[in-house]
Amino acid sequence: MDSRLVWLGLILAVLARPAPAEDLPYVYTKWKQFTVENGLPDDHVFSVKSDGRRVWVGTENGLALIDKRTWKVVRVWREEDGLPWRVITAIDVDPKTGDVWLGMFGGGLARFSGGRFDHFHQLNSGLVNNVVYGVAVENDNVWAATTAGASRYNTVTGEWTIFTEKNAPMEEIWNYGVHYRDGKVHLAVWGSGVLEYDVKTGRWKEYLDPDGEMEIDLYRDDGIVHVIITGAAYVENTLWASSYFGASRYDGRHWRGYYNQDSGLPSDFINNIRARSANEAWFATDKGVGVITDYKTNTWVAYTMDPKTRRGRAEIYRDRELLKTVDMEVGIPHNFIINLDLEGNDVFVATSKGLGVGIGEDYYAGLRPVRPAVAGGGQ
Amino acid sequence: MKARIFFFRAILAGVLVAAAAFLAAAPREPVYVGARACGGCHDGAGMGYQFSIWLHSKHSRSYAALAKPAAQQILQLSGLRGDPQASATCLSCHAPAALAEPWQKEEHLRIDDGVQCEDCHGPGSEYMAEEVMRNPAAARAAGLKMPTEADCMRCHIVKGSHVAVLALPAFDLKTRMEAIAHPTPENAKMGGLRLQTADGGAKRAGPKYVGVAACNQCHRGPESGHQDSLWRLSPHARAWSTLATPRAREIAKSKGLEGDPQQMAQCLECHAPGALAPSEAVLSSFSPDEGVGCEACHGPGSEYMAEAIMRDRRAARAAGLKEVSKETCLPCHRQAHGKQYELKIEAIAHPTRPAKRASAAEEPRYKTPVSLALDPRGRELYVTCSGSDSVIVVDPIARVKLAEIPVGQQPHGVVFSPDGRRVFVSNVFDDTVSVIDAAERRVVATLEVGDEPHGLITDREGKFLFVLNAASDDVHVFELGSLRRLKKLAASRRPWAAALSPDGARIAVSHTLPRLVPFQTPPVAEVTIIEAARGIIEDRVVFPAANLLKGVAWHPSGEYALVTLNRTKNLVPMTRLLQGWTITNGLGLMWADGSTDQLLLDEPDWGFPDPNAVAITPDGRFALVTSGGRDRLAVVDLAKMMSVLRQASPYERRHILPNHLGKPTEYVVKHIPLSHNPRDLLILPDGKTAVVVNGLDDSLSVVDLERFEEVGRIDLGGPKEITKVRYGERLFHNAGITFRRQFSCATCHPGGHVDGLTYDIEPDGVGVNQVDNRTLRGILDTAPFKWNGTNPSLARQCGPRLAVFFTRIQPYTPEELSAVDTYIASIPRPPNRFRALDAELTPAQRRGKAFFERSKTNDGREIPVGNRCVTCHPAPYFTDRRTHDVGTRSPYDTYGKFDTPQLNNIYDSAPYLHNGMALSLEEIWTVYNPDDKHGVTNDMTKDQLNDLIEYLKTL
């Protein structure tokens, strides 16, 4: 054989060898969208809660129920159907009883059980205020984050307790969110950072910005990035917090701040947050969803929607370096993200133009080596 | 260096001084110190014998008076149970300090001192110091009060219960004030209570006086025959204080003795022997004011008082316990002051184990059966008996009683575990469930559940036990194996009974109270559906315009369930009873798809009042329904009932059939007369026999389902005599008093409580003067009655007025009326579930109490006395029994002053205000008190209002 042919073959063989693998996160590429066209009562989706085969959707004009078996909106409740107030800003489900608790913006709290709405507002109950931003079920108690403090309702004794600056380290009483997990309740407070309540001891702990009221992060990673906190989540002994000026993570020892300029956050203006683990958290921003998928390497996935093509896009970042872009026919329905939920491998994104549901087929946590030729999904 | 040390020390000293000053300046909460602390100064001739006057008065014996048999009778007439000395209602007048929290009572306060100084003058810890007491302004600022006539009348107001038992003359306040007057004399000189009060010097060996209070730590209460109280009621207890009377000084003078008899050995020798003991022979717990105390007869007790010694008679004697004989008494009593003395030791006898007294208060104890359940093998019936606090086991085939098992108070529901090994019984009064081992027939465990548990049920697999708690409106779910409580489900109002669907998938729960609805809205009743497999609420089915859903049963096909119900037309005036105008009775059908129908059991010329329970034959052909108010069983042909429904249009089914009195004759095929007040029933598995509980006959009726007639009766063994109370109870539950037997008293007052409705009673216009239905529990002492307070007594309330406005035929005869009123007076009120006697208040409740009793607003303005909560709502019933205008008159009312309602267990009787327009306690003030006429509340913050609500729940 001609030796030139042999050398050519060898060279081609080397060139044809696959490119080296890169550690990349899972990217959600299977999305469903729900709008008024699918039966939602309104496109402004303020809250979402996945509970087994049910997805509860709170909108500006009513409550909807999606059945995961068919992925259809099976029922809608408006005020004429008995819903006490049309604007649903928060939803949680009592895992023991299945009761659905609704926080309503100007309407107080409602318990939805067996088709009956029980309405608790500031005139007929001990709820401190009707403007409810967040709700969380904690054992036999239901917490409500309101604009005038936090209320806790003991469903066994019927006792209402109000937490304000009188009995909690609450410098401002405008509560934006409440979250319960692993024996701790976390309040996200406008102007008062994150307040942590230990259920067992009844003691409070506050997380404030050591930089004070400065609008810049004077020293990096010295505490929460700002005192205007919009959401908090606690999982695996790790506190995640969102603000209008970035995000924070605290593992009990080290703080870490995140901004759009040095991470995959689409924007520093974050409305809410859900955390899956100490390693992964989802941020609802005004410019898309930012997901930190691997804390150690600061790897992110930013989900957005192209307003011109309406196609979905997922961008993988490490620090602020764009590693990969994944184009999708269907992604999140809008970039203004108001709320989120995570259940199992699926994600639920509440936006100002409908609900997006990301199906986590073959989901994996953290990073996996992925060859560049493989596209989307499980990579 | 030295300068630096000095500097730091100075700083430290300054800080400490500042801290001490701060602490000293901070006002302390006053606590009760006890009458003897007051008596340390306020006694003796120099102080007008103030302490002795009190000790000699009935006030000091008021706690002991609760040990008398009459007190037990009064307790029952007040709707209470148990020991009067442990009842908050009784103690709030007889020993008010008993209701204070533990931290508010200093160790020397003795509850057995009854109504003592501080109950009128306020807790004394902050004003008792001499320098404070001598400054009236300072004393008042520290909490010293001078009681007014209104304060006295809070307790001395006439009470029906006391009048009925004691037949005392009318209370003359002026005369009684003179009798207890204890003015401080001019140039008062503080005297000593004690001749020797402290452990003086070195103690000698040998027995020492310990004092009555030490004896009373054990020798008290019903377990010891109320020994402490028997002594306290006797003249022996006043032997020392009697030396302060003018008569005592006369006697002393006649014997040539000048001075204070309380200081004279010649007097003390008999009147307070222990006072003469040397200080080394007396412990600090002893006080000479006890007069002839225990140890005056039994010997100084320090060596024999230990329980281990006391229980050994020989050892106790060896340690100094003396036997008492006439020789003990005669030295003092023989020819004492010229009085003839006849030894009547029985007058002061106080045996440790008294013979069972035939107390007038003891009524024969009826069984009053309520519910029944059949064991899975079909061999034994368990019947709950609310009157005897027991469960009776019956052989339904042999028709004999086999056993009786004591359980908790007022048992109601009963259910077997699917394997038949355990039986669960709900105890309404105790808030517990008794777990009975069926083989051993005894209680082996007790579960804490919610308030007033009624119905019980398990799922078919034996995974869960569901307990329906009527007063806390919830269902507790227990894991049947471990009996661990898993969760609490929100039911509707007063869940009552439950039935498992034939496929075991669903549990239907009935409720006697309808949902809370907006003012002037028809009632809506609910059946809650629980998914049995997961123990969660699956659905809530509503029956419009219905209430009092009690019995529930599934048809064997599973296509529908039946529930007994009332249809009360509460929003139109009760102008007549004809043609079902006011209340009709019937059945609700709940279809598997959640839709409903309603049909009546009443007929045009006579009613089927108080349908209590329903059961369906295994072949699905017939339904049996008990009528508690008409003492009968209705047999409903279900095929015919279905035919009636099928022939009707949807409009007719919704609007006509539920009110059609002509239809029942088409499907009610027979009425079977039974005995008094039939309640629960069940059908034996062979479908041939039904067993029905006759609640007020202490029997079970056995009904043949082929002939549809009663063929036998099983006697549960209750007393045969019918007492007045029992007679009254029967009348109360019988519709014989109403025109065409439409309803009984129990219809609107199930269990003597409320039906959750507001009523337009009088014919003064539709919707005019609506009134909220009120409880009958414990009401005898809360006269007047009626929301406008115009009925001064129960006799007036239940007499002619009842006939004119409600029943529309001849009223009760005087004998019947007396019996009904006697029964009503005995209807018990369950214990308050938010605070047990002597329990600490929670911080929120304590803050709320302060608001309830406050006299100033948040910004320091004085609240007029007439507008303070505690003025119109004083203990024990939290009503002053007067009418007031609290600004709640609505445009539909023709008057604006309303009788102050009692607040006991107020958490359990929503809605509120005279017409029920406030759906929660909060709304009384957040919505219906804009002008601060119902107490000053508009300055309160939301958390302060929450605290007030928390406190109100403890009343």
Side-chain angles (χ1 to χ4, degrees), chain B residues 765-781:
Chain B
V766 177
V768 175
N769 292 326
Q770 267 184 265
V771 287
D772 181 42
N773 191 2
R774 293 167 74 175
T775 186
L776 301 181
R777 293 172 170 177
I779 63 165
L780 181 58
D781 293 338

Side-chain angles (χ1 to χ4, degrees), chain B residues 209-231:
Chain B
Y209 284 88
V210 297
V212 163
C215 305
N216 286 349
Q217 284 185 14
C218 299
H219 290 273
R220 66 183 300 119
E223 300 78 21
S224 78
H226 289 293
Q227 287 169 319
D228 60 327
S229 296
L230 287 176
W231 168 79

Side-chain angles (χ1 to χ4, degrees), chain A residues 57-70:
Chain A
V57 184
T59 77
E60 192 172 355
N61 193 25
L63 177 70
L65 174 63
I66 296 172
D67 189 327
K68 280 189 200 168
R69 291 174 296 186
T70 59

Side-chain angles (χ1 to χ4, degrees), chain B residues 501-563:
Chain B
S501 61
D503 62 2
R506 308 161 92 199
I507 295 171
V509 176
S510 63
H511 300 83
T512 52
L513 263 58
R515 291 180 176 177
L516 281 171
V517 293
F519 183 51
Q520 293 189 323
T521 307
V524 172
E526 175 182 312
V527 170
T528 308
I529 304 296
I530 298 174
E531 186 197 298
R534 289 189 292 165
I536 61 172
I537 305 285
E538 179 184 299
D539 199 4
R540 299 178 191 269
V541 176
V542 295
F543 287 85
N547 65 305
L548 275 173
L549 274 55
K550 275 191 170 180
V552 57
W554 288 87
H555 190 268
S557 66
E559 289 175 7
Y560 62 89
L562 291 177
V563 59

Side-chain angles (χ1 to χ4, degrees), chain A residues 96 113 116 123-125 155, chain B residues 487-488 540 920 926 942:
Chain A
K96 288 189 291 192
S113 165
R116 186 185 79 195
L123 293 185
N124 76 350
S125 74
T155 60
Chain B
K487 61 182 117 175
K488 175 193 81 74
R540 299 178 191 269
S920 66
T926 59
K942 189 77 170 112

Side-chain angles (χ1 to χ4, degrees), chain B residues 412-413 426-428 431-433 449-455 467-470:
Chain B
H412 183 96
S426 59
N427 303 305
V428 174
D431 299 342
T432 60
V433 164
V449 294
D451 204 10
E452 293 188 40
H454 275 66
V467 181
L468 281 48
N469 301 301

